[in-house]
Amino acid sequence: MLEISGLRKSFSGFVAAVIGPNGAGKSTLFNLITGHLRPDSGQVLLEDRDITGVQPHEACRMGLGRSFQRTNIFPKLTVFQNLQAALLVHKGRGANFWTRSESLFRDETEALLGSIGLRDQANTLGGTLSYGNQKQLELGLALASEPRVLLLDEPTAGMSASETHDTIRLLERIAGERGLTLLFTEHDMDVVFGIAQRIAVLHQGRLIAEGAPEEVRNDPEVRRVYLGQGH
């Protein structure tokens, strides 16, 4: 359950999307939720706990994960080392990052590799992966912190059609396997209506609709300000 500025949303167990035209406030909303910005008023509650304005690293420890529009990986580390490093930090062993850490959390790293579908790329340098695989790796870095709620900012942006399809299936599988709540922003309406179980629509910083996909698709205000604009 997520509550933002007095608006209660039952997202637990859901794959949910936030959509809206450019400038609608989607990234700002994510920044408010994750502590990168502090709201002028209202509250952000995570499982009835007030997390309004907490620092991003504190929000992460509370179970809130996030990936960004631009990939954030370690390009000169292998895929295995990327995930192992993320686990080291999450487990409070970040001081071991530059020392001999090859033996630490190997089983957990292997399991995470399998979960994101990159076991065959374990020894590949992160920076040499395809864009789609880099986004998979970034997802793995976010999952290393064991979030209960994961925010994804345009997870398929810049991907080919096949990469987009694979990413949708991956997100659905991970959400199901981990009982993870996913909240994502996306401009590709095929992705949104293909995976989201609940959709919220922003326009000029204001929530104009929220509900099941078909309810949102048929909402006159949504069709006027967004879906009718070439979608």
Side-chain angles (χ1 to χ4, degrees), residues 165-182:
H165 178 270
D166 291 344
T167 298
I168 292 173
R169 301 285 81 81
L170 175 64
L171 292 176
E172 286 182 322
R173 178 174 59 78
I174 286 177
E177 289 177 352
R178 292 174 173 255
L180 181 67
T181 296
L182 296 180

Side-chain angles (χ1 to χ4, degrees), residues 200-217:
V201 186
L202 294 180
H203 181 54
Q204 297 179 347
R206 182 173 61 90
L207 184 74
I208 62 170
E210 186 243 332
E214 283 308 305
E215 294 174 336
V216 170
R217 190 194 299 273

Side-chain angles (χ1 to χ4, degrees), residues 44-192:
V44 179
L45 302 181
L46 178 65
E47 297 178 339
D48 294 324
R49 182 175 184 179
D50 188 351
I51 63 168
T52 309
V54 302
Q55 292 298 309
H57 67 276
E58 294 173 341
C60 183
R61 285 202 299 266
M62 294 174 182
L64 195 61
R66 181 180 181 182
S67 73
F68 294 81
Q69 290 181 19
R70 297 180 62 182
T71 53
N72 290 282
I73 62 173
F74 301 108
K76 295 185 178 180
L77 297 182
T78 67
V79 171
F80 187 95
Q81 290 168 335
N82 265 270
L83 297 175
Q84 189 179 40
L87 286 166
L88 283 168
V89 172
H90 174 60
K91 302 290 188 180
R93 301 291 293 275
N96 297 104
F97 187 83
W98 302 114
T99 61
R100 292 187 61 82
S101 59
E102 292 89 346
S103 63
L104 297 176
F105 307 116
R106 293 192 66 86
D107 291 343
E108 293 91 334
T109 303
E110 290 283 357
L112 197 50
L113 276 169
S115 181
I116 60 173
L118 288 180
R119 185 171 282 120
D120 292 343
Q121 304 267 26
N123 296 318
T124 302
L125 291 178
T128 67
L129 293 170
S130 68
Y131 182 75
N133 285 160
Q134 287 189 16
K135 295 294 285 187
Q136 284 176 256
L137 176 55
E138 186 183 38
L139 176 62
L141 298 182
L143 291 173
S145 66
E146 299 178 299
R148 297 187 300 280
V149 179
L150 180 59
L151 279 60
L152 305 174
D153 204 343
E154 298 191 26
T156 68
M159 291 187 181
S160 67
S162 62
E163 288 175 332
T164 296
H165 178 270
D166 291 344
T167 298
I168 292 173
R169 301 285 81 81
L170 175 64
L171 292 176
E172 286 182 322
R173 178 174 59 78
I174 286 177
E177 289 177 352
R178 292 174 173 255
L180 181 67
T181 296
L182 296 180
L183 177 62
F184 70 97
T185 67
E186 183 59 65
H187 283 291
D188 188 329
M189 292 298 98
D190 289 336
V191 173
V192 171

